[in-house]
Amino acid sequence: STLCAGEILFIIFSPASKPYSFGHPSVESVAKCFSNASQPLNGTTDAPVEAYRKVRMNLLVQDFNKVQDQLDAIKEKQKAIALAQQSHGTEIHHCWKTPIDQLNLRELYEQGSDG
């Protein structure tokens, strides 16, 4: 932070959930920058750097939202598969869940050809 004139804030929680913090120049001044996002940062931040930071943050939020949507879709598919299995009273057989000494010759051959 000294070399780049950067403002930093660390908030650390102990195993007992006690918060500890450190900020430069102070915890309050750095926290105020994030709590009042509509207010511009102090004069040390150049406009192009601030613009890049905002664009980069928006891209990261978009990436996060895409991943979250993919996770939600996977969860929905898993629920649908579980419901289908329950309604049909069947269970999908996975050869890797069966002990090797309980596989028949065809299953052993298929397992060997897959690996």
Side-chain angles (χ1 to χ4, degrees):
S1 72
T2 302
L3 292 175
C4 302
E7 296 178 355
I8 59 171
L9 173 65
F10 291 106
I11 300 175
I12 302 167
F13 291 91
S14 71
S17 298
K18 292 181 80 176
Y20 297 93
S21 61
F22 170 79
H24 179 76
S26 72
V27 172
E28 292 80 16
S29 67
V30 178
K32 187 189 293 185
C33 292
F34 290 101
S35 64
N36 298 325
S38 61
Q39 294 179 353
L41 296 175
N42 64 15
T44 62
T45 305
D46 296 327
V49 173
E50 182 65 21
Y52 173 78
R53 186 189 68 79
K54 287 181 180 179
V55 168
R56 185 70 182 136
M57 185 63 75
N58 287 337
L59 291 173
L60 289 172
V61 168
Q62 289 174 4
D63 288 345
F64 173 80
N65 289 336
K66 286 179 188 177
V67 170
Q68 189 66 45
D69 290 343
Q70 290 172 353
L71 285 173
D72 291 343
I74 289 170
K75 287 179 185 178
E76 289 299 319
K77 287 180 183 179
Q78 289 174 339
K79 286 180 185 177
I81 289 170
L83 286 174
Q85 287 176 348
Q86 289 175 355
S87 66
H88 294 300
T90 60
E91 185 177 326
I92 298 175
H93 175 72
H94 299 289
C95 63
W96 59 84
K97 290 184 178 179
T98 305
I100 196 163
D101 59 344
Q102 294 179 5
L103 296 176
N104 62 34
L105 185 58
R106 181 184 56 80
E107 292 169 333
L108 285 171
Y109 178 76
E110 288 175 358
Q111 189 173 8
S113 65
D114 290 342

